[in-house]
Amino acid sequence: MGIVTDGLKLQAYAKINLSLDVLRQREDGYHEVRMVMQTIQLHDRIDLFPKKEPGIDIHTNLSFLPVNENNLMFRAAKLLIDEFGLEGGVRMRLQKIIPVSAGMAGGSSDAAAVLDGMNRLFSLGLSREELRKRGLRLGADVPFCLMRGAALSEGIGERLSPLPGMPPCWIVIAKPAFSISTRFVYENLHVGRLPRSAHPDVDAVISALNAGEIPALSKNMGNILETVSCREHPEIRAIKERMLSLGALGTLMSGSGPSVFGLFSEKSAAEHCRRDFRFGEGRRLAGQAFLTEPWLPKAAKGRKGRMAKYSRRLYE
């Protein structure tokens, strides 16, 4: 097989953290985590084309995004171009929808999509596991973004164990106008000083996913990084409280923030919440608001009944 000369259209999906615990800070400075991540339908769009001339060209709808080696998409493409000695280069068009610097792995997901796209575009023959190993060199979230679905993430994020995906529900995401430095959050976490009660019950979230129970999932969601982010930015807690007042079953900050998501069992209530953050009282708290759903593997789309239990092979 040769190069796919007419290019590829890719989708890079966002993630949310259903539970995020930090166990300790390692001697090398990295933090050891135990967290549950879930892919959602909200996604960026990437068009990927080969070109005869060497180089990597990136065009995006957001003028403030870097289009050089500071962009993970650029680094993902360069990694495979250099490794395989590919002739020519690539041109990419990014339609950015996932909020930037939001704790939703937008940049990592874009990089994962480019790795997968480059593999197909140039017929490199890399397996999913081989792609994930290369993705880890770009960032701890990239292997999960290649995997998609739901997973328990351990170590520094490199050890992934597939989990049943979320049952059917509606997800409202609200992103405040400010951003939070992930480095700042971890540097100010001081996990050794926190009480046991600050650590979320990750196992309870896994049990809720296995049972396909949104109420139990909503009740047990937790994110230890809120101890820092909510202290520095009270708006995050205010967004959570606003969502609960509008009918959310549970709310949580994703990653290091500042995005907050709420889970709803009814679309009408979820849409009312989204509109409140776009046009109503909630607008003073959030600059962006989205309504989305859990991501489903293609093999599961269209199935009737509960969507939670998928076999391990769907995530390979």
Side-chain angles (χ1 to χ4, degrees), residues 259-274:
S259 290
V260 173
F261 67 89
L263 303 185
F264 293 80
S265 58
E266 299 294 334
K267 185 178 182 179
S268 58
E271 176 59 22
H272 175 68
C273 178
R274 183 196 70 85

Side-chain angles (χ1 to χ4, degrees), residues 58-314:
I58 300 177
H59 304 274
T60 175
N61 61 318
L62 298 181
S63 60
F64 61 84
L65 291 179
V67 293
N68 52 22
E69 62 276 0
N70 294 319
N71 187 310
L72 279 179
M73 293 170 56
F74 186 104
R75 290 166 56 191
K78 187 175 188 303
L79 187 154
L80 294 183
I81 289 173
D82 291 348
E83 178 179 351
F84 288 89
L86 300 178
E87 297 181 0
V90 291
R91 179 166 55 90
M92 293 179 267
R93 288 201 302 256
L94 169 65
Q95 180 73 16
K96 192 70 180 169
I97 305 297
I98 302 170
V100 177
S101 300
M104 300 177 68
S108 295
S109 187
D110 292 341
V114 169
L115 284 177
D116 179 62
M118 292 283 292
N119 187 42
R120 290 188 281 143
L121 192 70
F122 294 97
S123 300
L124 302 180
L126 295 171
S127 68
R128 304 304 294 179
E129 180 58 30
E130 289 171 329
L131 283 174
R132 287 196 284 264
K133 287 180 180 178
R134 287 159 176 81
L136 185 59
R137 292 159 58 182
L138 299 171
D141 284 339
V142 178
F144 172 76
C145 293
L146 280 159
M147 176 182 180
R148 295 180 180 171
L152 172 66
S153 175
E154 299 176 286
I156 61 171
E158 83 284 7
R159 299 203 310 270
L160 297 171
S161 303
L163 294 170
M166 292 175 69
C169 66
W170 299 94
I171 304 168
V172 175
I173 296 164
K175 161 68 167 59
F178 57 86
S179 297
I180 298 177
S181 164
T182 299
R183 172 177 288 186
F184 173 86
V185 173
Y186 276 95
E187 286 180 348
N188 288 274
L189 181 60
H190 308 306
V191 65
R193 305 177 192 172
L194 294 175
R196 184 185 296 270
S197 59
H199 294 268
D201 191 342
V202 179
D203 290 328
V205 167
I206 295 173
S207 296
L209 289 177
N210 283 320
E213 296 178 352
I214 283 294
L217 174 63
S218 301
K219 177 183 177 182
N220 288 290
M221 294 189 307
N223 184 344
I224 198 171
L225 301 184
E226 287 186 356
T227 59
V228 177
S229 296
C230 288
R231 182 181 67 236
E232 295 295 321
H233 298 279
E235 300 95 326
I236 295 173
R237 190 173 302 281
I239 291 174
K240 296 180 67 176
E241 292 172 352
R242 183 71 183 169
M243 284 187 175
L244 290 171
S245 73
L246 292 170
L249 300 175
T251 64
L252 197 68
M253 183 183 77
S254 185
S256 57
S259 290
V260 173
F261 67 89
L263 303 185
F264 293 80
S265 58
E266 299 294 334
K267 185 178 182 179
S268 58
E271 176 59 22
H272 175 68
C273 178
R274 183 196 70 85
R275 289 182 61 83
D276 181 79
F277 280 100
R278 283 293 303 276
F279 311 111
E281 184 68 20
R283 185 173 56 176
R284 63 184 177 84
L285 297 171
Q288 296 173 279
F290 305 88
L291 175 60
T292 188
E293 300 174 78
W295 177 88
L296 279 175
K298 288 183 179 179
K301 292 177 180 176
R303 291 182 181 179
K304 295 181 180 179
R306 190 170 63 83
M307 299 183 291
K309 292 186 178 178
Y310 311 123
S311 62
R312 182 179 296 263
R313 63 181 174 82
L314 291 174

